[in-house]
Amino acid sequence: MKKILVRGPALSRSGYGEQCRFALRALRAHEDKFDIHLINTGWGQTGWLYEDTEEREWIDQTILKTINVLQNPEGIFDVSLQVALPSEWQLLARTNVGYTAGVETDTVPARWVQSAEMMNKIIVPSNHTMNGFVSAGSDKSAFEVVNYPVRTTEGSLDLQLDCGFNFLTVAQWGPRKNLEATITSFLEEFTNEEVGLVIKTSIKNSSVIDREFCNDRLKYILDHFPADRKCKVYLLHGNLTDEEMAGLYQHPSVKAYVSTSHGEGYGLPVFEACCNELPVITSNWGGVRDFCNVPVKNKKSKKTKFKPMVYEVEYQVENVQADAVWEGIIEPTASWCFPELDSLRKRMREAYNKPNTARARKLKNHIVENFSVESKHQQFVDAILSVSN
């Protein structure tokens, strides 16, 4: 049995928090192979989980167990699994594994390549993330791509929507998610129609101050459009349980999902929309390519090609905008996707006029068949064992 130390934001309401919890679930599914320990870290200013669940109780107990072990001078670990940006990776055990979503641009900072060289293995959620490292000089053989598993939670959310047809977007309000483009394009296309846009968002966390910032930003955009417009924009802010989030995707009046993100390390909200059989509107670039494209066999040639099962928004790949540069993480020389807004409006119109539910169903079936929880847990564990045996 391997004595493994997981270091990551296990209690954070963030993408990295979800990533850390997936890693812990994979390890727990193979507890005959691992003696699991956990150092919980923060992630920016995001809030923490508060639900009283079996998983939360196990996390708390594992943290306490680890504190006791760390007080023992002989408490060395066989393996460390570090869920963090590469700049935070350290040599914490005999074998060290980095687990990161990387960065959403086409390449990673040079110093991340140096950090990767310290690790015995690097696990990433998408081929896009791996390719970002490889383009910067990393050895491809050091990486293992492990996608997230399918999500099939039964949802429940009491949400009153006036419109019979509503688009949904789930995105942090910041430069990368390009949320203003989603809102503006929707308003321009549907000003005089009874169509809704539901926005689940926050800037940093679920605080009252954060909500007021989101309200002010949304009001600024809405003030540029007629006050008597027929379309509706709904702002959802605050913590939702997994069941409530599933209820949002499964709401009978939510008919399509839209994303104008500049890039995704994986794209969990888009993935969850696909798992819930929602027609998806997005650019076919970045991490979403790992699950938005389905193998289709040509009847004549018998050859199989991957085809997108989403409403593809045309895009250009260009250098990141100045306000998105993040020293040491998003370099000014890096590039990402810029969705073309005319194309976005056209795809939203297509989805509204005739939602392609058959294609959405085909995509969901592909995910259910190829992204099972058991297979992804096994793949994750195998990646760790491949360097720690």
Side-chain angles (χ1 to χ4, degrees):
M1 181 177 288
K2 302 292 182 183
K3 191 174 184 180
I4 187 167
L5 175 66
V6 180
R7 185 179 184 276
L11 297 176
S12 167
R13 288 189 178 276
S14 63
Y16 264 89
E18 286 294 323
Q19 193 168 321
C20 188
R21 289 186 287 277
F22 164 65
L24 291 169
R25 289 165 191 154
L27 295 172
R28 287 189 74 188
H30 295 266
E31 281 190 300
D32 59 318
K33 300 181 179 71
F34 299 100
D35 179 15
I36 307 168
H37 299 76
L38 173 63
I39 296 177
N40 181 57
T41 61
W43 183 258
Q45 298 181 44
T46 57
W48 281 21
L49 301 179
Y50 63 87
E51 293 88 355
D52 185 13
T53 63
E54 183 276 335
E55 182 175 73
R56 173 61 194 265
E57 182 180 356
W58 178 86
I59 288 174
D60 289 343
Q61 291 174 351
T62 306
I63 292 171
L64 290 174
K65 164 187 166 182
T66 306
I67 292 172
N68 293 330
V69 171
L70 290 175
Q71 291 174 346
N72 178 1
E74 299 179 357
I76 190 167
F77 296 94
D78 299 308
V79 186
S80 79
L81 174 66
Q82 301 174 50
V83 189
L85 295 175
S87 54
E88 300 174 8
W89 291 341
Q90 305 172 45
L91 299 178
L92 300 177
R94 296 187 183 96
T95 300
N96 297 279
V97 178
Y99 183 28
T100 183
V103 69
E104 296 77 14
T105 56
D106 62 343
T107 188
V108 304
R111 67 172 181 157
W112 284 15
V113 175
Q114 297 173 351
S115 297
E117 290 172 351
M118 293 194 310
M119 299 290 106
N120 299 97
K121 174 72 77 173
I122 302 100
I123 304 175
V124 293
S126 71
N127 283 281
H128 176 76
T129 299
M130 178 183 67
N131 292 336
F133 277 90
V134 173
S135 69
S138 286
D139 181 359
K140 187 175 182 178
S141 65
F143 290 80
E144 181 77 24
V145 176
V146 183
N147 302 135
Y148 284 103
V150 63
R151 300 191 174 204
T152 54
T153 305
E154 288 297 321
S156 176
L157 179 65
D158 183 15
L159 179 65
Q160 303 301 315
L161 300 173
D162 298 327
C163 302
F165 189 106
N166 295 273
F167 294 94
L168 170 65
T169 191
V170 180
Q172 182 184 25
W173 205 318
R176 179 172 64 84
K177 293 293 188 176
N178 201 21
L179 189 55
E180 289 89 345
T182 304
I183 301 168
T184 301
S185 297
F186 167 78
L187 289 166
E188 290 174 345
E189 186 64 27
F190 297 102
T191 295
N192 296 314
E193 298 170 75
E194 293 183 352
V195 183
L197 172 65
V198 181
I199 306 166
K200 175 65 178 76
T201 189
S202 64
I203 298 171
K204 294 181 179 179
N205 50 47
S206 297
S207 67
V208 174
I209 293 175
D210 192 284
R211 183 185 67 195
E212 292 305 313
F213 271 114
C214 292
N215 270 323
D216 290 344
R217 285 189 175 189
L218 179 58
K219 184 177 183 301
Y220 176 80
I221 296 172
L222 294 176
D223 284 347
H224 287 77
F225 291 85
D228 61 349
R229 62 186 177 275
K230 291 184 179 180
C231 65
K232 305 285 187 182
V233 179
Y234 304 90
L235 175 64
L236 291 183
H237 187 279
N239 295 329
L240 293 180
T241 64
D242 290 344
E243 290 73 21
E244 289 171 331
M245 280 301 303
L248 180 57
Y249 290 109
Q250 297 165 15
H251 194 285
S253 295
V254 171
K255 305 293 188 181
Y257 187 90
V258 58
S259 170
T260 53
S261 171
H262 289 298
E264 297 290 346
Y266 188 70
L268 264 177
V270 182
F271 183 68
E272 290 177 338
C274 296
C275 291
N276 284 284
E277 212 172 299
L278 276 178
V280 167
I281 305 155
T282 187
S283 297
N284 193 20
W285 191 87
V288 301
R289 289 180 59 84
D290 277 24
F291 58 83
C292 280
N293 298 278
V294 172
V296 177
K297 181 179 287 187
N298 186 289
K299 292 181 180 179
K300 291 184 178 180
S301 67
K302 305 301 182 182
K303 292 182 178 180
T304 299
K305 292 185 177 180
F306 278 84
K307 292 188 176 181
M309 293 293 140
V310 298
Y311 291 91
E312 283 190 277
V313 178
E314 295 175 12
Y315 62 89
Q316 301 293 327
V317 176
E318 300 175 358
N319 283 358
V320 299
Q321 58 269 51
D323 64 344
V325 172
W326 185 358
E327 185 177 357
I329 298 176
I330 300 178
E331 302 287 356
T333 54
S335 297
W336 58 18
C337 157
F338 287 81
E340 295 185 359
L341 301 189
D342 286 344
S343 176
L344 171 63
R345 289 176 57 178
K346 183 178 180 180
R347 299 296 175 253
M348 292 177 77
R349 174 60 62 180
E350 289 175 2
Y352 173 66
N353 287 341
K354 192 176 181 180
N356 197 328
T357 54
R359 189 166 58 182
R361 189 176 307 114
K362 182 179 290 188
L363 180 52
K364 177 186 176 180
N365 291 340
H366 167 72
I367 291 172
V368 169
E369 182 178 348
N370 295 278
F371 294 73
S372 71
V373 173
E374 294 78 11
S375 67
K376 294 305 175 184
H377 283 177
Q378 185 68 59
Q379 187 181 0
F380 192 91
V381 166
D382 287 347
I384 295 174
L385 293 177
S386 70
V387 291
S388 60
N389 282 331

